[in-house]
């Protein structure tokens, strides 16, 4: 998880061209000309994925699926953080019922985004470690702004990424590159991510990143929506089904792991380090 002083700013749009609905931590804006929805995460300061943000993300994805949008662009209202990943406070000295709800909601949100019937793209306008990278790689296309980093760095925090995290990573990177990066907990700069194929394009700023995401979704304009959706579903079916079939086992594995004394100690040390950094700022 990463810290930022910058508070998020809700994305603005011309009211004559946009229809907007909002939940607590996400905003959905559908452009009435392109029919493309922009889903913006807005939980300052770092879009830490807690239970409530995950619930809002899932609700927003369902809304976009239901309003027949032509595509989904995922981005952040922060100018420096896409998402800092799972909120460590959900896992440190967890409440028994809440931690179960938290992980179950994470499963639901991933299944909804990775398995979305509409074309999906991520406009990565800030750092994207761990769960932030999971969200980005769950989309079909990624455009990233320079001078930020992205990667699944769980091993650096003493955490093991579950198989379905790896599935999103493997849908983007060759297995050898993905395995090495996961084992190292490697974070890639924007330029490095482009070179290895973790992202598809770079953009000078968020607005340009969204424009490039719109252009990607536009490549499906003449493709039959049902045929495209079913093709995507077939490509991703094994990954989705694997989690669906093993949801309970995955939950129990996570609960067992996160409650290990060594893991709790490591999370405590990490949180204490964040507090010290915050005091110095």
């Amino acid at each position: 998880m990463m810290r930022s002083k910058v508070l998020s700013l809700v994305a603005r749009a011309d009211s004559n061209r946009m229809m907007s609905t909002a939940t607590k931590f996400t905003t959905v804006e559908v452009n009435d000309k392109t029919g493309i929805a922009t889903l913006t995460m807005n939980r300052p300061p770092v879009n830490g994925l807690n239970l409530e943000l995950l619930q809002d993300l899932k609700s927003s994805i369902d809304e976009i699926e239901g309003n027949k949008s032509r595509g989904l662009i995922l981005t952040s209202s922060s100018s420096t953080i896409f998402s800092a990943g799972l909120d460590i406070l959900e896992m440190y000295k967890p409440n028994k019922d809440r931690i179960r709800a938290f992980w179950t909601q994470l499963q639901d949100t991933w299944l909804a985004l990775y398995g979305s019937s509409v074309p999906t793209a991520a406009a990565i306008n800030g750092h994207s470690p761990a769960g932030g990278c999971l969200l980005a790689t769950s989309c079909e296309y990624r455009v990233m702004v320079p001078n930020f980093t992205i990667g699944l760095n769980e091993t650096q925090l003493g955490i093991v990424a579950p198989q379905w995290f790896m599935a999103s990573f493997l849908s983007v990177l060759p297995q050898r590159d993905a395995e090495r990066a996961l084992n190292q907990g490697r974070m890639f700069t924007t330029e490095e991510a482009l070179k290895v194929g973790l992202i598809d394009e770079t953009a000078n700023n968020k607005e340009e990143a969204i424009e490039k995401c719109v252009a990607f979704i536009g490549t499906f304009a003449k493709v039959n929506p049902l045929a495209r959706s079913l093709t995507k579903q077939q490509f991703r079916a094994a990954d989705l089904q694997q989690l669906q079939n093993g949801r309970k086992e995955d939950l129990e594995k996570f609960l067992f792991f996160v409650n290990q004394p060594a893991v709790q100690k490591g999370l405590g040390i990490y949180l204490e380090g964040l507090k010290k950094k915050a005091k110095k700022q």
Side-chain angles (χ1 to χ4, degrees), residues 39 154 166:
L39 197 176
E154 277 77 359
M166 298 179 186

Side-chain angles (χ1 to χ4, degrees), residues 161-208:
Q163 189 280 332
W164 45 285
F165 278 52
M166 298 179 186
S168 292
F169 218 47
L170 284 166
S171 70
V172 177
L173 294 177
Q175 181 165 339
R176 186 168 184 269
D177 293 340
E179 181 179 351
R180 180 182 298 176
L182 279 165
N183 286 335
Q184 294 172 335
R186 181 178 176 184
M187 293 295 295
F188 296 83
T189 65
T190 303
E191 293 73 19
E192 291 169 340
L194 181 64
K195 185 175 181 180
V196 300
L198 186 54
I199 61 172
D200 298 286
E201 290 188 80
T202 62
N204 292 318
N205 50 52
K206 176 181 175 179
E207 292 71 27
E208 185 179 328

Side-chain angles (χ1 to χ4, degrees), residues 70-96:
R70 288 187 53 232
L72 182 163
I73 298 172
L74 180 64
T75 192
S76 166
S77 61
S78 168
S79 61
T80 58
I81 303 287
F82 179 72
S83 169
L86 302 185
D87 191 332
I88 301 296
L89 292 176
E90 293 283 16
M91 297 180 283
Y92 182 59
K93 296 181 179 181
N95 172 275
K96 182 179 178 180

Side-chain angles (χ1 to χ4, degrees), residues 1-5 45-46 80-81 84 274-275 277-278 281:
M1 188 174 176
M2 304 181 73
R3 305 288 282 184
S4 171
K5 291 183 178 179
V46 296
T80 58
I81 303 287
L274 291 179
K275 290 179 182 178
K277 288 181 180 178
Q281 293 178 345

Side-chain angles (χ1 to χ4, degrees), residues 23-24 46 52 56 76 78 82 85 98 112 118 122 129 144 155 165 172-173 178 182 216 234 238 261 281:
T23 56
K24 188 174 182 181
V46 296
E52 288 75 20
D56 282 357
S76 166
S78 168
F82 179 72
R98 185 175 173 91
V118 302
M144 189 169 174
T155 55
F165 278 52
V172 177
L173 294 177
L182 279 165
F216 164 74
Q234 288 187 78
Q281 293 178 345

Side-chain angles (χ1 to χ4, degrees), residues 42-62:
N42 182 33
R43 184 183 176 231
V46 296
N47 287 328
L49 299 173
N50 70 342
L51 175 60
E52 288 75 20
L53 175 52
L54 289 169
Q55 289 172 335
D56 282 357
L57 278 169
K58 173 62 164 58
S59 295
S60 292
I61 294 168
D62 290 344

